[in-house]
Amino acid sequence: MLSRRLLVTTLLALAVAPARRVFAATPAFFRNPGCSCCEAWTQRMADAGLPVTMEDRADLNAYSSQLGIPAGLEGCHVGEINGYVISGHVPPDDIKRLLAEKPKARGLLVPGMPMGSPGMEMGDHKDPYDVLLLAVDGATTVFASHS
């Protein structure tokens, strides 16, 4: 009987315990100064349970290059989550998938600012776009496609 009581108590405690945060510390992201869509992306991340902070950085392209992002594939904001580089308007669900699958890669990229991506919503208008997986060697492959 004691083991049954312990099991029930443990299950109840787990059910009412607050959800653990995904990160030990809130990841910092950087954007071109004044970019308002980045704030909208930050809100989409928080809504999905992936809170991040956003700070201005005047040398964003140079910083992106330091992180191994190939020229021409930069997004308007960049940061790191659990050792992975995240650049541009990457959907939170794709980031969650990356963190769950843990591929041997540098991270995820959404080059440019595709309409309809998280933080770039414009009514019903949605441009198709790909989320790219950035390999350790700098090559990219499609991780997810959105339309």
Side-chain angles (χ1 to χ4, degrees):
M1 191 61 137
L2 182 60
S3 63
R4 186 179 199 181
R5 184 177 305 173
L6 180 61
L7 175 64
V8 170
T9 303
T10 302
L11 290 174
L12 285 173
L14 289 173
V16 298
R20 286 187 347 189
R21 291 182 51 180
V22 174
F23 316 124
T26 303
F29 274 70
F30 302 93
R31 68 178 180 176
N32 285 313
C35 182
S36 62
C37 67
C38 298
E39 291 299 329
W41 179 81
T42 300
Q43 185 60 51
R44 302 301 172 277
M45 291 288 288
D47 293 346
L50 301 171
V52 299
T53 62
M54 189 66 68
E55 302 172 29
D56 289 348
R57 187 166 184 145
D59 64 342
L60 192 64
N61 283 345
Y63 181 61
S64 294
S65 180
Q66 289 173 358
L67 293 174
I69 299 169
L73 296 180
E74 304 94 348
C76 62
H77 54 264
V78 65
E80 294 180 87
I81 295 177
N82 290 2
Y84 288 107
V85 172
I86 306 295
S87 177
H89 291 267
V90 178
D93 285 344
D94 291 343
I95 296 171
K96 288 179 179 180
R97 180 178 149 212
L98 175 81
L99 296 175
E101 293 178 2
K102 297 181 174 94
K104 192 171 197 170
R106 283 193 181 154
L108 297 177
L109 315 173
V110 172
M113 300 166 67
M115 289 294 144
S117 62
M120 291 294 297
E121 295 90 351
M122 300 293 276
D124 292 333
H125 181 81
K126 291 184 180 184
D127 291 335
Y129 67 98
D130 292 329
V131 176
L132 304 177
L133 181 69
L134 179 62
V136 175
D137 66 1
T140 59
T141 56
V142 175
F143 184 79
S145 293
H146 300 275
S147 55

